[in-house]
Amino acid sequence: MTTARPRFAITGANGFIGRRLCRRILREGGEVAALVRGTSAHQDIAAPGVRLVTGDLLTGEGLREVVRGADYVVHLAGLVKSPTEEGFRRSNEEGTRRLVAEVGALASPPPLVLCSSLAAAGPSQPGRPRQEEDPPLPVSRYGRSQARRRVRGA
């Protein structure tokens, strides 16, 4: 009896964490559907077992296709530089909502892992590491957009 290979849909697959996660999934026998922008370099993740799906969180293009058939969805993508708060909001908040809506629209929604950034928590106090129960105190536009990225009502 053969076991089906686990299928992962990954946004931000060509980023620092995403590239490593793709390699790990492939090494452990899984398959990846990777959402990539048409302008992004993706040669680092192009491999047998990886299906590249051109798309964009800002427009929603490719989201339905990348999550279709996934056993797990991992959301790593996020805008890290923008001259305006609005740029972060559109990408990191609205883009996340679009992805969540596509996952939720599936007949049997897979688990969604939403990865954020330490910037969402804000800095720790000298001599006291941040604790899980500490409220978020981001100090940058990027950090604030990551803190607002959480999925409400899920």
Side-chain angles (χ1 to χ4, degrees):
M1 178 178 187
T2 53
T3 308
R5 293 168 47 138
R7 297 165 299 184
F8 291 79
I10 302 177
T11 68
N14 55 336
F16 179 77
I17 295 171
R19 288 190 312 268
R20 287 155 181 80
L21 179 60
C22 286
R23 286 195 290 266
R24 175 77 180 256
I25 290 168
L26 294 174
R27 214 173 32 247
E28 294 191 10
E31 297 175 355
V32 172
L35 184 73
V36 294
R37 289 184 307 242
T39 58
S40 295
H42 40 71
Q43 59 272 18
D44 286 348
I45 59 170
V50 176
R51 179 172 55 95
L52 301 175
V53 177
T54 302
D56 192 325
L57 289 167
L58 290 175
T59 65
E61 175 194 355
L63 293 180
R64 182 168 295 150
E65 181 183 345
V66 79
V67 301
R68 186 176 17 115
D71 298 311
Y72 306 93
V73 177
V74 182
H75 183 33
L76 299 171
L79 188 66
V80 295
K81 293 180 184 176
S82 174
T84 66
E85 192 98 24
E86 176 65 11
F88 284 119
R89 187 188 66 72
R90 287 184 58 234
S91 180
N92 297 343
E93 295 174 51
E94 290 178 20
T96 298
R97 285 190 194 98
R98 280 187 189 88
L99 177 64
V100 169
E102 288 297 341
V103 171
L106 295 170
S108 181
L112 169 65
V113 178
L114 173 62
C115 298
S116 186
S117 166
L118 286 174
S124 63
Q125 298 300 315
R128 182 187 176 275
R130 290 194 55 85
Q131 303 295 312
E132 190 72 30
E133 58 276 357
D134 290 345
L137 298 169
V139 296
S140 67
R141 286 188 228 161
Y142 169 68
R144 286 189 294 276
S145 76
Q146 289 293 308
R148 290 187 302 260
R149 190 176 192 189
R150 64 185 175 262
V151 180
R152 293 179 181 96

